[in-house]
Amino acid sequence: MKWQGRARSTNVEDRRGMGGKGIAGIGGGLGLIIALIFAFVSGDPGVILDQVSGNQASVPAQTTAMEDEAKEFISVVLADTERIWSQIFEENGMEYVEPTLVLYSGSVQSACGAAGASVGPFYCPADYKLYIDLSFYEELSTKYNAPGDFAMAYVVAHEVGHHVQTLLGTTDKVMPLRQRLSEEEFNKYLVRFELQADYFSGVWAHHADGLGYLEDGDIEEALAAASAVGDDTLQKRAQGYVVEESFTHGTSEQRMTWFRKGYETGTIQGGDTFNSRP
Ligand SMILES: [Zn+2]
């Protein structure tokens, strides 16, 4: 992706090295955390229960040059999502509200609760914020074998996709089902919800391409990442077999398919994953 020297989003909050301190109390005053999050990899929507110690000392931010470059890259991608989604919302007679991206290391407090690094990138609909631990950028190529800058761009755009779903009212329609349905039934909705975030990530890629920002191989990098984080692939690797009822994000094939569909069509309307074959 062509990103060097381009405009960066100003909606980036750098909390690296803060260990979650300084914002304690946001949504956590009662000690009970009820909001759901939408993580990039399996496990969401989870109620974040890892408690961050309230008196954890702040350590000075130790950032590496590689992380600083990742921060710049992600800030450019976020700016692109703002520009593109504002335009799409406007064309549909709506107004896009920009989300904030929080960079953290170790653990972080959100309006959805406290999260540890193991959660991976996530979105909290209660505060309109995306949370990303920059170490995930590295993990994409090492742990998930999906290298390349556009693999990470797909991750950011997927979390922004959850923000779009929140603005469109989809999140509020789907989440209450969690109380009414069995876990197995709810997971079917979750998969469609997650595939829609992949679709919206593709919609973003379509328009970023239209603006001339993509390079050869970018779409392949995103597809490789989508494939790497499919539930079937992750489960096979972790336990050697697949339990379809526990899928929350869709198979590798489904995740690639919906990203590709979004990339091809570039519209909100083409992404009705709830009434289509997943
Ligand atoms: Zn997700």
Side-chain angles (χ1 to χ4, degrees), residues 4-25:
Q4 272 101 347
R6 292 211 286 109
R8 303 181 209 177
S9 170
T10 52
N11 297 313
V12 177
E13 219 180 289
D14 198 341
R15 292 193 208 158
R16 288 177 293 166
M18 287 175 66
K21 208 192 168 193
I23 39 147

Side-chain angles (χ1 to χ4, degrees), residues 2-8 72-73 76:
K2 295 171 196 155
W3 62 274
Q4 272 101 347
R6 292 211 286 109
R8 303 181 209 177
E72 193 184 336
F73 171 71
V76 171

